[in-house]
């Protein structure tokens, strides 16, 4: 089996999701840096168009990277009809994401997903169901998905989610600040949300499909990191356009620039529309090429997904049996 990157600073079984990267402390808003940021759309699209064809991963290598992808999934349910029982089933799947026989055969019996992501109301159910697993609960907050509720209520929602046991908070930014070029307002909003999160890690959802241009995506990424975001995330999953490779390239290069300037690593989370195992492999290849192996750990990279896990499980079973199973044999929740 091809060796996939593991974090030697973690304790216990390799690949269990344990946050090790310190909080991003942020920095003062540097408008000169923000204004210098540009995005060459045609060059970005050309680079991304070559990725699926240039990186073909087969057999044992593919199985190893798919197992890595499982460990990086924020297994998510964000539906209006969520119930305690549904969340409980999802958490059981997070603890045992792939058929036990498959994991035994692949010598990864203790593999789990990176986190479980739910609405605020479902935090207690998720915390109870994941107790003792080491899997963190992530909660979407700040008026998700539009982020247009009164600001003081958004801040209060963050505090209540942390108090309820969420270790990670996925906040949504006010898109109008980006579209109007009001970077000070975006910085101040993000900084206050960061403070409200306290000890919890904060993921800033940019809703990139609503930001108008790749240059806006790049600048918004940088401003959120300056204000203390621990992760930057593409989408809520509710927009008409969610995670794409061009947006991902822009965001992870902003992460690289921020790390080179400050020494602090910020995580990346593509979300929405990533449902096939082959797509996950392309994203992992992009991260490895642009940021390196350190970012291929759960504390610095996550997939925001629900259906992706089912397809990965089917591919792993095919790897062992040379036969594809029906999708209904791999339920998520």
């Amino acid at each position: 089996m091809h060796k996939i990157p593991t974090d030697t600073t973690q304790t216990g079984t390799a690949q269990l999701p344990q946050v090790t990267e310190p909080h991003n402390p942020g920095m003062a808003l540097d408008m000169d840096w923000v204004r210098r940021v540009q995005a060459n759309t045609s060059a970005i699209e050309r680079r991304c168009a070559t990725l699926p064809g240039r990186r073909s991963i087969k057999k044992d290598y593919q199985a190893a990277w798919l197992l890595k992808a499982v460990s990086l999934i924020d297994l998510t349910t964000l539906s209006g009809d969520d119930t305690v029982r549904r969340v409980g089933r999802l958490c059981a799947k997070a603890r045992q994401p792939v058929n036990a026989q498959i994991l035994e055969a692949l010598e990864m019996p203790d593999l789990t997903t990176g986190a479980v992501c739910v609405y605020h109301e479902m935090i207690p159910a998720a915390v109870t169901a994941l107790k003792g697993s080491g899997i963190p609960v992530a909660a979407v907050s700040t008026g998700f998905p539009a982020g247009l509720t009164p600001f003081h209520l958004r801040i209060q929602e963050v505090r209540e989610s942390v108090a309820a046991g969420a270790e990670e908070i996925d906040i949504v930014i006010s898109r109008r600040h980006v579209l109007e070029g009001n970077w000070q307002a975006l910085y101040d909003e993000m900084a206050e949300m960061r403070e409200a999160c306290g000890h919890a890690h904060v993921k800033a959802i940019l809703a990139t499909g609503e930001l108008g241009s790749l240059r806006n995506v790049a600048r918004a990424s940088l401003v959120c990191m300056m204000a203390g975001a621990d992760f930057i995330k593409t989408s809520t999953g509710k927009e008409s356009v969610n995670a794409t490779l061009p947006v991902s390239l822009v965001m992870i290069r902003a992460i690289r620039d921020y790390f080179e300037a400050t020494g602090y690593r910020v995580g990346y989370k593509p979300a929405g529309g990533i449902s096939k195992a082959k797509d996950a492999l392309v994203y992992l290849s992009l991260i490895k090429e642009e940021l390196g192996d350190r970012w291929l750990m759960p504390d610095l990279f996550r997939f925001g997904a629900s259906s992706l896990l089912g397809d990965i499980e089917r591919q792993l079973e095919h790897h062992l049996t040379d036969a594809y199973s029906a999708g209904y044999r791999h339920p998520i929740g």
Side-chain angles (χ1 to χ4, degrees):
M1 182 66 67
H2 178 61
K3 296 296 184 181
I4 52 182
T6 57
D7 186 352
T8 57
T9 66
Q10 295 180 352
T11 59
T13 306
Q15 303 250 6
L16 288 181
Q18 301 175 22
V19 172
T20 59
E21 195 66 27
H23 285 303
N24 167 29
M27 57 178 284
L29 179 62
D30 185 343
M31 281 306 305
D32 288 338
W33 187 1
V34 174
R35 293 190 186 100
R36 288 197 304 270
V37 171
Q38 301 293 331
N40 185 330
T41 299
S42 60
I44 291 165
E45 290 175 346
R46 285 197 304 271
R47 163 84 166 98
C48 292
T50 67
L51 278 169
R54 287 194 303 112
R55 292 291 178 264
S56 181
I57 306 172
K58 302 296 185 183
K59 298 184 178 180
D60 283 357
Y61 295 90
Q62 183 184 86
W65 282 99
L66 290 179
L67 290 169
K68 164 58 68 178
V70 170
S71 76
L72 302 172
I73 292 175
D74 277 6
L75 200 56
T76 302
T77 182
L78 297 172
S79 299
D81 59 353
D82 282 342
T83 65
V84 170
R85 292 186 65 182
R86 173 184 285 180
V87 170
R89 292 194 300 270
L90 192 76
C91 292
K93 188 68 173 177
R95 285 174 173 267
Q96 180 69 68
V98 177
N99 181 283
Q101 292 180 326
I102 295 176
L103 291 183
E104 288 288 349
L106 296 173
E107 301 179 3
M108 290 294 294
D110 298 307
L111 185 69
T112 72
T113 66
V116 169
C117 186
V118 295
Y119 275 119
H120 171 82
E121 286 294 302
M122 294 293 112
I123 294 172
V127 169
T128 299
L130 293 173
K131 186 176 181 180
S133 68
I135 302 171
V137 174
V140 295
S141 194
T142 62
F144 180 95
L148 292 175
T149 53
F151 187 68
H152 71 280
L153 296 180
R154 284 184 272 164
I155 294 298
Q156 185 61 29
E157 184 183 8
V158 170
R159 291 173 177 150
E160 291 188 13
S161 291
V162 174
E167 298 177 54
E168 303 175 3
I169 304 294
D170 290 29
I171 63 96
V172 289
I173 67 168
S174 297
R175 285 69 132 179
R176 67 182 182 279
H177 295 327
V178 179
L179 296 172
E180 294 170 353
N182 193 344
W183 303 113
Q184 185 67 58
L186 177 62
Y187 178 89
D188 292 343
E189 175 184 89
M190 182 69 239
E192 192 164 345
M193 291 175 179
R194 162 67 273 174
E195 183 179 3
C197 285
H199 68 272
H201 269 56
V202 57
K203 306 190 195 97
I205 307 173
L206 304 187
T208 54
E210 298 178 347
L211 296 189
S213 68
L214 291 178
R215 183 177 70 176
N216 278 348
V217 170
R219 291 180 174 181
S221 299
L222 183 58
V223 171
C224 285
M225 289 187 286
M226 288 178 175
D230 297 306
F231 264 73
I232 50 176
K233 175 179 171 181
T234 59
S235 322
T236 66
K238 309 294 186 180
E239 296 91 58
S240 58
V241 178
N242 295 294
T244 67
L245 288 175
V247 159
S248 294
L249 182 60
V250 168
M251 293 175 71
I252 63 180
R253 285 185 172 174
I255 288 171
R256 186 175 65 193
D257 290 345
Y258 185 81
F259 172 66
E260 290 174 351
T262 68
Y264 286 97
R265 296 182 178 91
V266 172
Y268 178 62
K269 180 177 175 179
I274 304 172
S275 60
K276 299 298 182 183
K278 63 181 180 180
D279 296 330
L281 293 176
V282 174
Y283 276 90
L284 293 178
S285 296
L286 181 62
I287 291 293
K288 183 176 176 65
E289 290 182 7
E290 293 288 335
L291 293 175
D293 287 350
R294 177 63 188 89
W295 263 268
L296 290 172
M297 298 304 300
D299 60 334
L300 286 174
F301 183 77
R302 301 282 181 80
F303 290 107
S306 53
S307 58
L308 172 62
L309 179 55
D311 192 56
I312 290 177
E313 190 171 8
R314 291 184 69 235
Q315 299 300 326
L316 291 173
E317 184 163 335
H318 178 266
H319 171 71
L320 293 173
T321 67
D322 289 325
Y324 282 110
S325 62
Y328 65 79
R329 294 188 60 248
H330 309 287
I332 298 300

